[in-house]
Structures are given as structure tokens and as C-alpha cells.
Amino acid sequence: MATAVPPAASRIAVVTGASSGIGAATARRLAEAGYRVVLTARRKDRIEALAEEITAAGHQSTAYPLDVTDRAAVDEFATAFRTIGVLVNNAGGALGADPVATGDPEQWRTMYETNVLGTLHLTQALLPKLDASGDGTVVVVTSTAGHATYEGGAGYVAAKHGAHVLAETLRLEIVGRPVRVIEIAPGMVRTEEFALTRFGGDTEKAAKVYQGVAEPLTADDVADTITWAVTRPPHVNIDLLVVRPRAQASNTKVHRES
Ligand SMILES: NC(=O)c1ccc[n+]([C@@H]2O[C@H](COP(=O)([O-])OP(=O)(O)OC[C@H]3O[C@@H](n4cnc5c(N)ncnc54)[C@H](OP(=O)(O)O)[C@@H]3O)[C@@H](O)[C@H]2O)c1
């Protein structure tokens, strides 16, 4: 199905966590689809470099450094817009892989604050602007961890379940308003930083996550999925899209070749 250029009132797409991985790839794809992409993340240098790259490619992009856990900063950010078309809540990630018995409460707290409250902050602040566009879309990037658990994953799984519940509840609460709520739940995606961040920079542990897996998803695979869902006609709501690599049948059933 061909995708149309978004109408003026809904042409701005805000992407959180756009400094790396899925967020950066999504910003590139949405820009190619005709959106003016607003890149946010904490690392200013990275989003500025990406905004320059997107602009040099003939698209429209701006960078705005933002910590999604900082509510005052998010509210200030929202004042920059009259209307926006798309909000991609992508900022987040996992910290640690310890069992419940020994997991670090501080890591659990950070995961909840980033994946759940970060999504809540942006969604609350920008919902009036999405409404005002007459055709808004909220995307929540959760995970297959938002739908089933695995040993060592409880802190992340709990946070992503929280993000899933936010998306599902919001969809119920705003039905009748011109805003769609789309949840994208990826399985294993090999991005540069996700596993490294999870394991505190330990490259060996990070590499093990993908060991022997023929083709984990790439950031661009997920960006393609997000962009496809966002560019459906306004009356089509992709509620939930689970996307995994072929080699992964569940969070715990992964085919490894070595
Ligand atoms: N990779 C996977 O296997 C996988 C699978 C399923 C779901 N996901 C989810 O997909 C999303 C993107 O993951 P990824 O693989 O692309 O990981 P990534 O490369 O580590 O990206 C995480 C992004 O979140 C941003 N971020 C983290 N904390 C933030 C904060 N407090 N405020 C603002 N931005 C913050 C980071 O930017 P700064 O550090 O510059 O702020 C970064 O841009 C995450 O929500 C993740 O949970 C990933």
C-alpha cells in the first residue's frame, strides 16, 4: 500500500531515545516518509549529528536534548508545539539480568522511571497537541518482555508490562478522539547499545545475548515496522505488533547455531 505524505497539521513526529538503535533508525525512516522529525535523547551531540544527517539527505529534522524522566523538562519541551502528528515513545532499556532474589532495586527503579514514567510524561504532555492535529498517533515501543517473563528478566519484564498496560489503557480511555495508540513489541534486536547498557559495558556478556543467532532483528527492521504502522490510513489502528527474528520462537526459545 502506498504511503501518502502526512498532512501539515500532523507532519511533526517526535521520537524519544533517538540517539541510537531503534530510535535513530525510526527517525531516519519517518523522515523519509515525509515527517519533520524531532529527535530527543540525553546525548545532545548524537541527536544533533543525526539531525544534520537527516537534513543533509533533504528531509526535515531538529534535535532537542531531553531526559524523559524529567517532568519539568518534558513540559517545557511540549510548549514548543501547537500540534504534532506522531509521538514515538522509544526511550528505555534494560539494566541487569539478576534473579528476583538478588536484583538491584535501584536498577528496577530506573527501568520503571525510564520505560514507564518516561512514556507517561511524554504522552501526557503531548496528548493535547496530538488531539489538536486531528490525526495523532502515539507509539509505545514495549518488548516481548512486556508480554511474557523469563528468568533474570523480572525488573525489565515488569517495566515493559507497565508500558504495555499504559498503551492498552490509554487506547480504551481516548477512544472517540482522533488519536491512535500503537504498541510495537520487538523480540531480539541486535543494536549497538542495548545489551551493553544492560550489562554495564561488559562486552563479553553483551555479545553472548546474540551468540549463534543467525539473524537477530536490526534497528532498521523495527523502524520499518513502526513506520509501516504509523503510515496506515488514520482509521486503521495497529493495536499491537509483535516482531521477532525467525530464530526466536519465544523469550526463552531461541535457535543458536553454535
Ligand atoms: N534491543 C532489543 O533487543 C530490544 C527489544 C525489545 C524492545 N527494545 C526496546 O526498544 C527501545 C530502544 O532500544 P534499543 O535497542 O534501540 O536500545 P539503545 O540503543 O540502548 O537505545 C536506548 C535509547 O533510549 C535513550 N534513553 C535512555 N534513557 C533515557 C532517558 N532517561 N531520557 C531520554 N532518553 C533515554 C538513549 O539515549 P540517551 O542515552 O542519549 O539518553 C537511547 O537513545 C527501548 O525501549 C528498548 O527497551 C529493545
Side-chain angles (χ1 to χ4, degrees):
M1 202 188 306
T3 59
V5 173
S10 50
R11 206 169 283 157
I12 295 174
V14 172
V15 181
T16 70
S19 59
S20 63
I22 294 167
T26 300
R28 287 191 182 95
R29 285 259 181 186
L30 288 175
E32 284 164 14
Y35 286 95
R36 178 157 88 71
V37 285
V38 180
L39 316 177
T40 75
R42 291 166 302 180
R43 285 170 295 175
K44 184 171 183 274
D45 53 334
R46 294 184 67 123
I47 51 173
E48 283 181 350
L50 181 56
E52 272 174 36
E53 177 204 306
I54 291 172
T55 306
H59 308 300
Q60 285 183 292
S61 181
T62 50
Y64 189 108
L66 186 67
D67 182 336
V68 296
T69 66
D70 182 342
R71 182 53 188 258
V74 171
D75 286 341
E76 173 66 27
F77 169 66
T79 63
F81 308 99
R82 196 174 53 80
T83 71
I84 72 159
V86 180
L87 164 63
V88 181
N89 286 296
N90 163 78
L95 292 174
D98 300 312
V100 172
T102 55
D104 178 355
E106 207 42 59
Q107 290 187 331
W108 280 57
R109 188 171 291 114
T110 302
M111 286 189 280
Y112 192 84
E113 284 183 355
T114 311
N115 292 285
V116 186
L117 296 183
T119 299
L120 179 71
H121 292 159
L122 267 296
T123 304
Q124 288 184 337
L126 292 175
L127 201 50
K129 321 284 177 165
L130 289 155
D131 255 329
S133 76
D135 174 18
T137 301
V138 178
V139 176
V140 182
V141 180
T142 62
S143 168
T144 52
H147 297 268
T149 196
Y150 54 94
E151 289 151 286
Y156 182 57
V157 166
K160 286 302 192 187
H161 272 70
H164 158 67
V165 167
L166 185 159
E168 198 170 48
T169 310
L170 178 66
R171 193 180 305 114
L172 293 171
E173 290 169 349
I174 65 171
V175 70
R177 285 160 64 177
V179 181
R180 302 181 290 188
V181 182
I182 295 174
E183 177 186 351
I184 305 288
M188 182 187 286
V189 191
R190 182 158 48 198
T191 54
E192 271 172 50
E193 298 185 1
F194 178 83
L196 260 187
T197 302
R198 178 168 213 164
F199 295 110
D202 185 328
T203 48
E204 217 167 290
K205 277 189 183 169
K208 272 210 172 115
V209 172
Y210 309 106
Q211 202 169 35
V213 181
E215 275 182 290
L217 296 178
T218 64
D220 190 54
D221 290 327
V222 181
D224 182 31
T225 301
I226 292 170
T227 304
W228 175 81
V230 164
T231 55
R232 292 315 85 209
H235 69 286
V236 178
N237 198 127
I238 308 296
D239 282 15
L240 166 65
L241 201 156
V242 177
V243 52
R244 298 183 201 268
R246 189 174 59 193
Q248 184 185 34
S250 79
N251 290 347
T252 51
K253 181 85 177 170
V254 179
H255 178 69
R256 296 183 193 267
E257 288 177 349
S258 54

